[in-house]
Amino acid sequence: MAVFLSSFVNKVDKKGRVSVPASFRAVLGSDAQGIVVFRSLQQEALDGCSIAHLELLSESLEKLDLAPEMFELIETTIFGGSVQIPFDGEGRIVLPSSLAQTIGITDEVAFVGRRKTFQLWNPQKLTEHDTSARSAARAQDISLSKIIAQASSKIEGGA
Amino acid sequence: MAVFLSSFVNKVDKKGRVSVPASFRAVLGSDAQGIVVFRSLQQEALDGCSIAHLELLSESLEKLDLAPEMFELIETTIFGGSVQIPFDGEGRIVLPSSLAQTIGITDEVAFVGRRKTFQLWNPQKLTEHDTSARSAARAQDISLSKIIAQASSKIEGGA
DNA sequence: TGATTACCCATGAGTGCCCATGGTATCCCA
DNA sequence: TGGGATACCATGGGCACTCATGGGTAATCA
C-alpha cells in the first residue's frame, strides 16, 4: 500500500500557505479533506497524518491498558494539541502560526515521509538531526541487510 | 534467483536522465515501475533497490524489537530520505539533483551490483574506494574459499 | 471594520511520455 | 570464415502535462 516516502522543502508564502507535496496528497487519497498536525513527542517537529490515522490512534488508546499518566499525556497533548487543517483547491495548507513557531518554521517547511505518518520540520533543524543520526549509524555500524536477515531468521526460529 | 552483478558507468544527460543498466532492469523485472534510492549509511554513495525490497525492510522493522534510536534513524533517514524513481520508456531514471549532489555525481554514474541491492557512485570515488578496500582485504588476508568453507562447516555443525 | 480565510485563476519550471538515432554485439548465410 | 543484417542498448530531442508558486477577490469572523 502507499506510504509516505521522501522529503520535500516547500515555501511558506505571505499568507502562510504551503503546498503539501503532491505524492503525500496522493497517499492521503483524492477524497482527503486535509491533514491532522500535532507537536511531536520526541522531536522538535510536527507530526502529520491522515484523519483516519488519528482515529486509529484513538481506537488503539481504548483497546490498550495504558498507565493512567500515559493515557492522560496522550489525551491532552496529542488530541488536545492537534489541529485538523483543510487543503485548499491547490493542495495547500495554512499552518497555524502557533504550531509553526514552536518548531521554528518561518519561510520554509520540510515534509519528511515516515511511511504511515509524516513530519514537518524547520529545514535547517532537519539537516542537523539527519547529520547526527548518520553519525550515530556509522558509529554503530548499522546494516540494513543485517536487519532484514535478522527479521527472516526470527521467523524461521519460531520466535 | 537473479541478483545484481557487475558495475557499469553511464552518462547523465542535460535533463539529468541516466540509463539503468539493462541487466539490472532485467533483475528488477519487466513489470518494475522504477527503483528506490536513498543515501547509503556507510559509504558516500546511494543505495538502490526494488520497491519490493524496501517493503521487505519496512516489514522487517515491524518484526524486530529495535532500540528506539535505531528505529527513529531508519524511519527518518532511510524512509524519509528515499525516493521512488520511475523508469521512462527507455529504462532511464532522473536522479534528484539533491541526492546526486550529496555524492558528487555530475555527468556520469557508476552502478555497482551488490546481489540484492545496488549502489550508485561517482565513478572516481568508486575507484578510490575500491583501491582502499583491496588494500584492506590484502592486509586482512581475506580468502573467498575460506569464507565458503567456514559457512559450510557452520551449517554442518548444527549452529 | 479590519483581519483572516476560502475560493478561484494564472504562470513558469520541471517532469513524464514519446519518438529517433548511432553504436555494438550477435546471428545467420554464403 | 567473413560479411551483412538484425536486435539491443545507451543516448538525444521535443512536446504536453503537472506541480509549486503567486496573486486577487469575496465572504466570514472577531
Side-chain angles (χ1 to χ4, degrees):
Chain A
M1 65 106 153
V3 295
F4 299 107
L5 286 185
S6 307
S7 299
F8 305 83
V9 176
N10 285 345
K11 285 187 161 216
V12 181
D13 72 6
K14 290 174 189 137
K15 298 174 177 178
R17 298 176 300 187
V18 60
S19 274
V20 175
S23 61
F24 285 19
R25 300 200 312 269
V27 172
L28 289 158
S30 56
D31 55 335
Q33 297 300 312
I35 59 173
V36 173
V37 169
F38 48 88
R39 288 181 68 182
S40 173
L41 288 176
Q42 305 294 338
Q43 278 92 34
E44 201 173 344
L46 302 181
D47 280 339
C49 64
S50 66
I51 293 162
H53 191 80
L54 197 73
E55 287 166 356
L56 183 62
L57 177 60
S58 178
E59 289 159 15
S60 301
L61 276 191
E62 298 307 321
K63 280 173 184 148
L64 292 178
D65 228 3
L66 291 177
E69 321 83 61
M70 186 174 293
F71 190 95
E72 164 63 19
L73 177 145
I74 293 174
E75 184 104 84
T76 303
T77 62
I78 301 300
F79 287 92
S82 66
V83 293
Q84 184 170 323
I85 312 179
F87 290 131
D88 71 6
E90 286 67 44
R92 284 176 294 200
I93 57 170
V94 176
L95 265 180
S97 59
S98 56
L99 277 177
Q101 279 162 11
T102 64
I103 60 168
I105 283 173
T106 48
D107 55 359
E108 288 190 315
V109 182
F111 290 82
V112 182
R114 290 170 66 96
R115 296 181 292 156
K116 293 171 184 160
T117 64
F118 55 93
Q119 280 186 337
L120 282 72
W121 285 77
N122 171 306
Q124 182 171 338
K125 290 179 180 177
L126 174 65
T127 299
E128 292 161 7
H129 179 77
D130 187 71
T131 299
S132 65
R134 284 176 190 279
S135 296
R138 273 191 157 112
Q140 297 178 53
D141 199 23
I142 287 175
S143 160
L144 301 179
S145 56
K146 278 180 188 168
I147 287 171
I148 292 174
Q150 279 167 2
S152 293
S153 69
K154 196 173 179 185
I155 294 168
E156 289 164 9
Chain B
M1 62 106 153
V3 296
F4 298 107
L5 290 185
S6 308
S7 298
F8 306 83
V9 176
N10 284 345
K11 284 186 160 219
V12 181
D13 73 5
K14 289 175 190 135
K15 296 176 177 178
R17 297 176 298 191
V18 60
S19 274
V20 175
S23 62
F24 285 19
R25 298 201 311 272
V27 172
L28 288 158
S30 57
D31 56 335
Q33 297 301 313
I35 59 172
V36 174
V37 169
F38 49 87
R39 286 178 67 188
S40 173
L41 287 176
Q42 305 294 339
Q43 282 94 31
E44 199 173 345
L46 302 181
D47 280 341
C49 64
S50 65
I51 292 163
H53 191 81
L54 195 74
E55 285 167 356
L56 182 63
L57 176 61
S58 181
E59 289 159 14
S60 301
L61 274 193
E62 299 310 320
K63 280 170 186 148
L64 294 177
D65 229 3
L66 293 177
E69 322 83 58
M70 186 178 292
F71 188 93
E72 164 63 20
L73 177 144
I74 293 173
E75 186 85 87
T76 303
T77 63
I78 302 302
F79 290 99
S82 67
V83 292
Q84 184 170 321
I85 313 178
F87 290 131
D88 71 4
E90 287 66 44
R92 285 175 297 198
I93 57 171
V94 176
L95 264 180
S97 60
S98 56
L99 278 178
Q101 279 162 13
T102 64
I103 61 169
I105 283 173
T106 49
D107 55 358
E108 287 190 316
V109 182
F111 290 81
V112 181
R114 289 167 64 97
R115 297 184 298 142
K116 292 171 184 163
T117 64
F118 54 93
Q119 279 187 336
L120 282 73
W121 286 78
N122 171 308
Q124 180 171 339
K125 289 181 181 179
L126 175 64
T127 299
E128 292 162 6
H129 177 267
D130 187 68
T131 300
S132 67
R134 284 177 190 278
S135 296
R138 278 196 288 272
Q140 296 177 50
D141 197 22
I142 287 176
S143 159
L144 303 180
S145 55
K146 275 181 189 172
I147 287 171
I148 293 175
Q150 280 165 358
S152 293
S153 68
K154 194 172 181 187
I155 292 169
E156 288 164 6

